Amino acid sequence: MKQRKFIRSSSLLLSLVLLAPLASGCGSEANAAASDTPPTFSNVSVHDPSIVKEGDTYYVFGSHIAAAKSKDLMNWTSFANGYTTPGNTLYGDLSKNLAGSFEWAGENDSDSKGGFSVWAPDVFWNKDYVNEDGSKGAYMIYYSASSTYIRSAIGYAVSQNIEGPYEYGGTVMYSGFTENEAYDANSKVNKQWTNTGIDELIDDGKLTGENENWFNADGSYNNQQYPNAIDAALSYDTKGKLWMTYGSWSGGIFLLEIDKKTGEPIFPGKDGITKDGRMIDRYFGTKIAGGYGKSGEGPYIEYNKSTKYYYLYETYGGLGATGGYNMRVYRSKNIDGPYTDSLGQNAVLPAGTENTEYGNKLIGNFLFEREAGDPGTGIGYGYLSAGHNSVYTDSKTGQMLLVFHARFPQQGETHELRIHQMFMNKDGWPVVAPYRYTGEKLSTVKKDDIAGDYAYVNHGKAYSGDIEETQFIRLNANGTVTGALEGKWRKNASNQAKITIGKEEFDGVFLRQWDPVSQSNVMTFTAVSGSGEAAWGTRLADLSDEQVVENVASGLTLGDTSKVTADLTLPATGSRHAQIAWSSSNENVVSAEGKVTRPEEGQPAAAATLTAKIVKGSAQKTVTFEVTVLPYESASLTAHYAFENDLKDSEGAFAEGGATGDRIGKTGGNLSYAAGKAGQAVVFDGASGVKLPDNLIQSSSYSVALWMKPEQLNAYTTTFFGAKDDTHWLSLLPKGSVGDQTMLWAGSTSWYDGVTGVKIPAGQWSHLSFSVDEGTLTVYVNGERKFSGSGFPDLFAEGVNGTFALGVNWWDAPFKGQLDELRVYEGALTPAQAAELAE
């Protein structure tokens, strides 16, 4: 029998509360990752990661049966194979092995129709588990299987090998059940509560009976008070008892004791109320957070021996790139609560209360934006919708690691695993290092190394799809803070940070870290205020105003201005908020705001000079750009699908289209025809699409135009879709991901949003067209130009084997409605052509 350590250490051997240097981090600052040799990373995508360590190897397990391992927390290797079955890395014959949970949810049912939904596992070594042969000890994986936002189940499986395969042990929790017989859409599962096994628990005397409060007046599941049974996480208390916290959104997060020998819950059996007035449900356990329909998911509990608190981590908001996912933390002296934030607010929400101001915030949407004159490349460093974390504490050094997934600005739904160090501030609240972990150690820092200019972000308490803006402050040697914000600062002991902004005090640490943008080690600080707002700062190089202006002047670029065909983006600020004012020698060619007026077809190119005046303090400099604006050229028609009761190209250059199922590559499909905008139109039933000929476009300059009449508007649902592969594609969306606006979307390794600023209506004909001209994108709605921008990816250059479709892609809900008069062109449409097509 192998001996292994439990996932979560409950001991911090060093006093992090006092922020003494870690034993592994003692020594000079030069030893604290002071080398400017760039670290290396091997990134993986593991959503909702849970971390465990075996020997010298760290493992993370996540949703959709993703898993990866690493020895240094920086270079990760995936070893799972997703939903493959049979032959699943973690579950063998997935369908048969987890059939006990799938009877209720998660396989080919409702929202998982045509596939699986296995989410958010937690893995740990349970030394007390009794195996079938009587031996003790096994790795246990607690997973979620889900079919709707409330009909879910939590099951567990066991293995002697951390990498699997895991053998099904049982289903321990159900949610979304109803009082009487009922069915969800696209489901044959009878949701009546007696189909969950709760009736057997009653017969065995483990529950006093069903609880009438589980149901609304109409017999539906009361998800305002009770949980969605997903996101299990296991923790030991100081007495050695094992507990499972779980739950997502709606009714809140709950806690149940687990029998260490069997892995099964120890149900309260009867209802009750905690001393502080929280619910104890006979089946679901004790409510420890959330409720009343407010967001909150991915709970994770860890005990800290130094502070003698249990810390409850959870994530608010929606997990998508625009959903504002953000991590919060509460603490309690008892594993079953009450959990409170730094303001003393209970994690269990009162009725009719927004959760925005509840919980200490760890990370929200942010961007340390790289502007003209700043070192490095790209847009800067930041995260979107970072969350669903686990925590790992090293039992020998006390090092704390926050483990989570993150999305990124301008990269859409692409997500990756991230590891950041955490530290306890003087009040016993965790603060998160601004940059990802590269092996840096908390050590003694000198005051002289701290003073200087900083990019600063306050994560605040609110959350949305917005990004918190970077501000620029200076920590002066005399202990004052000046710049965009004013206050004072000081360093206590080896590395403690106390920063006062206005009347708000922030406590945390100073830490030297690797900045991936400047490619250098920089001083940072991370701190949290008494109200639970997290603040980060990253030190900038010492520069005079004259040097900043020179850097902006040398770094300012508008791209290739010798053949301009779209509006120009003229930045108003540069490095460290240097101001940039623009003027034009000919506003009729290009304005001081960057608006470009192209000559008509047949006219000569037009020219103008743009002048940028850069100012910071008393320093200033001007830079000029010579701009040549090209005239319009008519696009030439290459394909025309008129949909006159068929899918033929009336130009005869391309093959006939074919019906597909609800995704590209699926068989079936039920297409019909009806009176359209011009003659007949093809009718999509919401479960079908059209596969267009491959290589319909093979050019870096092309246009697409069509009429559409959506019967319903669904986010991400495509009308025209084209792809080089599954990470390089474009999609014309009646309802996009940005404010529900009509847009052309491209992704995903290089994300691009061509947002029109309008929302086409359902039930009416609208004309959409777009042109891509050597990287310049123009989108027209009903013949009017609504978007123009540069930098669009080159997807279909000559030689690329492209895939094209109408109404479907590989991922999203199919289009429902009518499409008519699809035209494809070589070259970019002129405004006159676009307007004529929309008549």
Side-chain angles (χ1 to χ4, degrees):
M1 181 176 64
K2 298 179 181 179
Q3 298 296 320
R4 293 177 173 85
K5 289 180 288 187
F6 175 61
I7 176 174
R8 259 157 258 144
S9 169
S10 64
S11 62
L12 285 179
L13 302 181
L14 302 173
S15 179
L16 288 177
V17 176
L18 299 178
L19 287 178
L22 297 179
S24 59
C26 293
S28 69
E29 201 171 69
N31 293 329
S35 170
D36 281 338
T37 301
T40 61
F41 299 97
S42 299
N43 296 316
V44 290
S45 294
V46 179
H47 213 266
D48 311 325
S50 174
I51 190 168
V52 57
K53 188 178 183 183
E54 182 192 51
D56 64 351
T57 303
Y58 298 90
Y59 289 85
V60 288
F61 296 83
S63 288
H64 311 299
I65 316 183
K69 57 185 176 180
S70 171
K71 291 185 181 297
D72 62 4
L73 295 164
M74 297 160 59
N75 295 280
W76 293 87
T77 302
S78 295
F79 65 88
N81 57 355
Y83 289 128
T84 300
T85 189
N88 190 276
T89 303
L90 294 187
Y91 297 108
D93 191 328
L94 172 66
S95 182
K96 290 183 179 180
N97 190 16
L98 303 190
S101 296
F102 291 153
E103 288 178 3
W104 181 251
E107 181 185 6
N108 191 29
D109 174 62
S110 201
D111 292 349
S112 62
K113 193 73 173 177
F116 296 89
S117 289
V118 181
W119 298 341
D122 191 26
V123 175
F124 71 103
W125 173 257
N126 182 352
K127 65 182 179 61
D128 298 301
Y129 183 80
V130 179
N131 298 288
E132 288 186 358
D133 63 3
S135 64
K136 285 189 176 182
Y139 275 102
M140 302 190 72
I141 184 168
Y142 282 75
Y143 61 85
S144 310
S146 185
S147 285
T148 73
Y149 67 102
I150 53 175
R151 180 161 57 88
S152 306
I154 295 171
Y156 71 89
V158 297
S159 175
Q160 293 299 308
N161 185 341
I162 192 171
E163 296 188 22
Y166 286 80
E167 190 67 27
Y168 176 75
T171 302
V172 299
M173 180 56 59
Y174 295 85
S175 67
F177 44 80
T178 56
E179 188 173 18
N180 302 303
E181 183 175 352
Y183 299 86
D184 289 318
N186 298 314
S187 177
K188 297 180 180 179
V189 175
N190 180 357
K191 298 191 296 180
Q192 190 170 17
W193 69 273
T194 52
N195 291 317
T196 64
I198 293 176
D199 54 341
E200 296 176 11
L201 295 174
I202 295 171
D203 292 342
D204 292 341
K206 295 181 179 180
L207 301 182
T208 56
E210 73 270 28
N211 183 350
E212 63 180 14
N213 294 319
W214 292 338
F215 312 109
N216 296 311
D218 62 358
S220 60
Y221 182 67
N222 181 5
N223 68 308
Q224 293 291 296
Q225 293 292 336
Y226 299 97
N228 183 17
I230 63 173
D231 297 355
L234 282 293
S235 302
Y236 287 107
D237 66 15
T238 56
K239 297 179 181 179
K241 290 184 177 181
L242 182 62
W243 300 81
M244 180 180 78
T245 183
Y246 69 99
S248 172
W249 283 71
S250 300
I253 290 167
F254 285 72
L255 186 80
L256 267 176
E257 187 179 354
I258 298 294
D259 186 319
K260 294 185 290 185
K261 295 181 179 180
T262 66
E264 297 287 332
I266 300 173
F267 298 101
K270 59 182 180 179
D271 300 335
I273 297 177
T274 63
K275 291 181 179 179
D276 59 302
R278 291 174 293 116
M279 173 197 298
I280 301 174
D281 179 76
R282 67 191 73 180
Y283 176 64
F284 292 112
T286 302
K287 181 177 287 191
I288 60 172
Y292 297 104
K294 304 305 177 184
S295 67
E297 62 185 18
Y300 200 89
I301 294 174
E302 172 155 297
Y303 181 72
N304 184 297
K305 187 176 181 180
S306 271
T307 66
K308 294 181 171 56
Y309 281 105
Y310 295 92
Y311 290 85
L312 169 64
Y313 299 87
E314 62 171 316
T315 303
Y316 289 175
L319 59 83
T322 61
Y325 224 40
N326 67 103
M327 287 171 278
R328 308 278 173 137
V329 64
Y330 299 85
R331 70 186 185 188
S332 173
K333 288 294 186 181
N334 305 298
I335 195 167
D336 60 351
Y339 286 90
T340 57
D341 61 17
S342 58
L343 291 174
Q345 299 175 128
N346 199 309
V348 175
L349 297 174
T353 303
E354 293 298 324
N355 62 0
T356 306
E357 296 299 322
Y358 286 73
N360 285 19
K361 194 172 179 183
L362 293 172
I363 301 179
N365 289 356
F366 75 94
L367 175 64
F368 285 121
E369 187 174 6
R370 179 184 169 274
E371 298 186 290
D374 287 333
T377 59
I379 65 170
Y381 159 74
Y383 294 155
L384 296 179
S385 292
H388 200 122
N389 71 282
S390 57
V391 174
Y392 180 82
T393 300
D394 189 291
S395 61
K396 294 181 179 179
T397 66
Q399 182 185 54
M400 298 171 60
L401 300 170
L402 185 72
V403 181
F404 59 95
H405 69 253
R407 289 166 171 78
F408 310 95
Q410 299 184 16
Q411 294 188 38
E413 300 305 323
T414 298
H415 59 83
E416 291 178 348
L417 174 71
R418 286 295 181 267
I419 314 290
H420 284 229
Q421 272 205 87
M422 286 199 303
F423 309 94
M424 289 292 179
N425 76 357
K426 70 176 183 62
D427 297 317
W429 286 105
V431 293
V432 181
Y435 294 105
R436 68 190 298 188
Y437 177 72
T438 61
E440 75 279 348
K441 296 177 176 65
L442 191 65
S443 62
T444 300
V445 297
K446 299 177 181 179
K447 186 176 179 180
D448 290 345
D449 292 329
I450 296 171
D453 292 331
Y454 283 77
Y456 171 86
V457 63
N458 184 333
H459 292 272
K461 295 294 281 287
Y463 61 90
S464 67
D466 297 335
I467 297 175
E468 294 293 342
E469 294 184 357
T470 304
Q471 296 175 292
F472 292 90
I473 61 174
R474 181 170 181 80
L475 273 55
N476 299 298
N478 65 2
T480 61
V481 177
T482 56
L485 302 167
E486 295 186 349
K488 56 187 178 180
W489 72 275
R490 71 172 184 262
K491 178 187 80 76
N492 297 325
S494 299
N495 42 45
Q496 293 181 43
K498 186 177 184 66
I499 300 170
T500 303
I501 302 293
K503 295 182 180 180
E504 194 80 22
E505 292 186 353
F506 295 82
D507 285 284
V509 298
F510 292 106
L511 173 71
R512 187 173 291 278
Q513 285 196 281
W514 178 260
D515 172 10
V517 178
S518 67
Q519 291 284 288
S520 64
N521 281 283
V522 299
M523 185 63 69
T524 71
F525 65 79
T526 174
V528 64
S529 71
S531 62
E533 295 182 359
W536 291 352
T538 177
R539 192 174 186 275
L540 308 172
D542 292 326
L543 296 175
S544 67
D545 288 349
E546 287 76 14
Q547 289 173 311
V548 171
V549 167
E550 284 294 332
N551 287 348
V552 174
S554 61
L556 190 60
T557 180
L558 300 179
D560 185 357
T561 59
S562 66
K563 47 181 180 180
V564 173
T565 58
D567 293 344
L568 298 173
T569 299
L570 306 181
T573 59
S575 179
R576 308 195 190 191
H577 274 200
Q579 299 300 300
I580 307 174
W582 293 87
S583 60
S584 174
S585 65
N586 191 337
E587 291 275 336
N588 293 323
V589 175
V590 56
S591 73
E593 291 74 39
K595 184 174 177 58
V596 167
T597 303
R598 295 179 66 179
E600 296 298 325
E601 187 174 12
Q603 297 296 313
T609 301
L610 284 173
T611 300
K613 182 179 180 180
I614 306 162
V615 178
K616 183 168 175 59
S618 60
Q620 59 180 279
K621 187 172 185 176
T622 58
V623 180
T624 60
F625 297 87
E626 300 302 323
V627 179
T628 301
V629 178
L630 301 181
Y632 286 107
E633 295 181 11
S634 292
S636 56
L637 185 67
T638 58
H640 178 202
Y641 291 85
F643 305 123
E644 298 302 318
N645 295 310
D646 58 39
L647 300 176
K648 294 180 179 178
D649 168 26
S650 61
E651 293 294 298
F654 291 90
E656 186 174 1
T660 72
D662 63 357
R663 301 291 189 274
I664 294 174
K666 286 195 175 183
T667 58
N670 182 25
L671 300 174
S672 59
Y673 299 88
K677 187 64 181 178
Q680 297 293 99
V682 61
V683 180
F684 295 79
D685 62 0
S688 309
V690 171
K691 175 64 172 63
L692 295 169
D694 292 342
N695 305 324
L696 185 64
I697 299 170
Q698 279 198 320
S699 174
S700 297
S701 182
Y702 56 90
S703 301
V704 176
L706 75 164
W707 286 95
M708 62 186 65
K709 184 180 180 182
E711 184 176 326
Q712 59 191 34
L713 295 172
N714 299 317
Y716 308 113
T717 291
T718 189
T719 51
F720 180 88
F721 180 80
K724 180 167 67 173
D725 53 45
D726 62 0
T727 57
H728 300 83
W729 47 263
L730 61 78
S731 187
L732 187 60
L733 307 179
K735 180 180 178 180
S737 60
V738 181
D740 294 339
Q741 298 174 56
T742 302
M743 63 187 289
L744 185 78
W745 196 27
S748 59
T749 54
S750 177
W751 220 267
Y752 198 103
D753 293 337
V755 183
T756 64
V758 298
K759 304 175 185 178
I760 67 167
Q764 298 181 27
W765 284 104
S766 298
H767 191 268
L768 267 63
S769 59
F770 67 89
S771 297
V772 176
D773 189 8
E774 303 289 345
T776 296
L777 171 67
T778 306
V779 184
Y780 299 89
V781 179
N782 293 322
E784 295 184 13
R785 187 177 73 168
K786 295 297 184 180
F787 177 86
S788 179
S790 58
F792 194 80
D794 187 7
L795 300 174
F796 308 119
E798 187 174 354
V800 170
N801 185 23
T803 299
F804 298 90
L806 295 175
V808 291
N809 56 28
W810 288 305
W811 314 285
D812 300 304
F815 177 75
K816 189 173 185 178
Q818 294 177 260
L819 299 179
D820 203 2
E821 298 296 318
L822 169 67
R823 291 180 168 89
V824 180
Y825 295 84
E826 173 74 23
L829 295 169
T830 67
Q833 282 182 302
E836 183 178 356
L837 288 171
E839 291 178 355

